[in-house]
């Protein structure tokens, strides 16, 4: 079985794949100080509850946008699963797709993994919109190549900045408002965030398609993608497991190369 680990700025997702489908998934807060032993104590209890044993794990693949966590995750893989972790972004990890960006540019591992997953599942000429800590737009070419994208502040990051800069404005949850024009402060903020990001998604996706001169299929992912899909037709497909699917495909690519 494969243990796929996706480390985001806010949360870390652990998923077990049996070669056909996902057996289980668990999330925890991303904390760089967490040790390999702490990870395993937490994971072992959840794996046991799901009927998965540590001995069943044969491969570990990791995507991380937080470099400080990588050491302990590699120790976790070696010490408790007797596996050398495959880390996206390292020279020995083959993506299976070209990366067409300016020389010397470092692309976030999550964005590359999303591109791999999207191409394998949906083909080329795509825009992948990820509603994470940042809201990112990534372009996947006809041959699966990562061809650049757009980075905007994430929804929760914008809410936090609004609260920090204007003390009178409260913390709010993200939801679709009943109407565009709010009748109170919370409703006004919810409308600004929800319809503001809907406008952002629609506008950027339209401009990308116009710039490339072709119809682009738009894939939404990330925890808030299902919410924002309620307010726009710009998102053709919602796939909240896109990153994990990408990690599975990358692991398959590297196993095939290493065992050829």
């Amino acid at each position: 079985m494969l243990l796929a680990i996706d480390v985001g700025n806010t949360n870390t997702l652990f998923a077990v794949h049996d070669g056909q489908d996902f057996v289980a998934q668990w999330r925890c807060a991303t904390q760089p100080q967490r040790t390999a032993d702490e990870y395993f104590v937490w994971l072992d209890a959840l794996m046991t509850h799901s009927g998965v044993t540590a001995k069943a794990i044969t491969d570990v693949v990791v995507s991380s946008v937080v470099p400080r966590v990588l050491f302990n995750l590699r120790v976790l893989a070696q010490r408790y699963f007797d596996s050398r972790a495959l880390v996206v972004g390292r020279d020995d990890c083959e993506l299976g797709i070209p990366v067409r960006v300016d020389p010397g540019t470092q692309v976030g591992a999550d964005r590359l993994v999303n591109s791999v997953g999207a191409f394998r599942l949906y083909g080329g000429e795509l825009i992948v919109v990820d509603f994470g800590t940042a809201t990112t737009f990534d372009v996947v070419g006809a041959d699966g190549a990562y061809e650049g994208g757009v980075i905007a502040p994430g929804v929760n990051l914008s809410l936090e900045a609004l609260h920090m800069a204007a003390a009178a404005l409260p913390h709010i949850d993200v939801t679709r408002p009943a109407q565009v024009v709010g009748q109170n402060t919370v409703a006004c903020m919810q409308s600004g965030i929800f319809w503001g990001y809907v406008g952002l998604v629609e506008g950027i996706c339209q401009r990308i398609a116009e710039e490339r001169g072709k119809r682009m299929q738009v894939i939404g992912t990330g925890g808030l993608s299902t919410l924002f899909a309620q307010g726009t037709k710009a998102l053709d497909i919602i796939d909240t497991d896109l990153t994990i699917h990408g990690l599975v495909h990358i692991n398959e690519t590297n196993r095939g190369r290493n065992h050829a």
Side-chain angles (χ1 to χ4, degrees), residues 163-246:
H163 172 72
M164 293 294 292
L169 296 180
H171 285 290
I172 64 168
D173 63 326
V174 184
T175 186
R176 178 176 179 169
Q179 56 193 43
V180 176
V181 179
Q183 303 298 313
N184 55 69
T185 301
V186 169
C188 289
M189 293 174 66
Q190 288 174 332
S191 183
I193 288 294
F194 184 84
W195 293 113
Y197 272 86
V198 166
L200 175 76
V201 170
E202 292 176 341
I204 290 182
C205 288
Q206 179 182 342
R207 288 179 181 274
I208 291 174
E210 289 174 351
E211 187 171 273
R212 294 176 66 85
K214 59 188 70 175
R215 168 77 169 88
M216 305 287 288
Q217 189 174 27
V218 182
I219 314 299
T221 191
L224 291 174
S225 58
T226 54
L227 171 65
F228 284 95
Q230 299 173 19
T232 180
K233 295 181 179 179
L235 300 171
D236 298 306
I237 296 172
I238 300 298
D239 188 341
T240 56
D241 291 325
L242 188 64
T243 308
I244 296 297
H245 281 297

Side-chain angles (χ1 to χ4, degrees), residues 6-126:
D6 172 32
V7 183
N9 287 297
T10 304
N11 294 315
T12 298
L13 173 63
F14 294 78
V16 175
H17 193 272
D18 65 2
Q20 299 295 325
D21 206 348
F22 293 106
V23 175
Q25 296 186 25
W26 312 284
R27 292 181 185 273
C28 67
T30 299
Q31 296 178 351
Q33 68 273 23
R34 183 172 284 147
T35 67
D37 300 328
E38 289 173 319
Y39 276 121
F40 184 71
V41 169
W42 175 78
L43 260 181
D44 188 47
L46 292 170
M47 290 171 66
T48 299
H49 180 73
S50 299
V52 179
T53 65
K55 290 183 178 180
I57 303 298
T58 57
D59 296 277
V60 178
V61 60
V62 182
S63 167
S64 176
V65 297
V66 184
R68 290 174 57 199
V69 308
L70 281 174
F71 174 78
N72 283 311
L73 289 176
R74 293 171 72 187
V75 172
L76 170 72
Q78 186 66 56
R79 180 179 298 168
Y80 292 104
F81 303 114
D82 193 26
S83 175
R84 183 175 179 270
L86 177 67
V87 179
V88 176
R90 293 188 177 272
D91 293 339
D92 62 347
C93 180
E94 176 62 46
L95 295 175
I97 63 170
V99 179
R100 299 192 184 111
V101 295
D102 291 340
T105 300
Q106 294 291 322
V107 181
D110 56 336
R111 303 175 73 187
L112 295 174
V113 174
N114 280 347
S115 298
V116 171
F119 178 65
R120 292 288 294 268
L121 291 170
Y122 307 111
E125 300 297 1
L126 305 174

Side-chain angles (χ1 to χ4, degrees), residues 146-162:
Y146 176 83
E147 297 186 344
V150 177
I151 301 176
V155 175
N156 289 315
L157 189 61
S158 293
L159 281 171
E160 185 64 25
L162 195 60

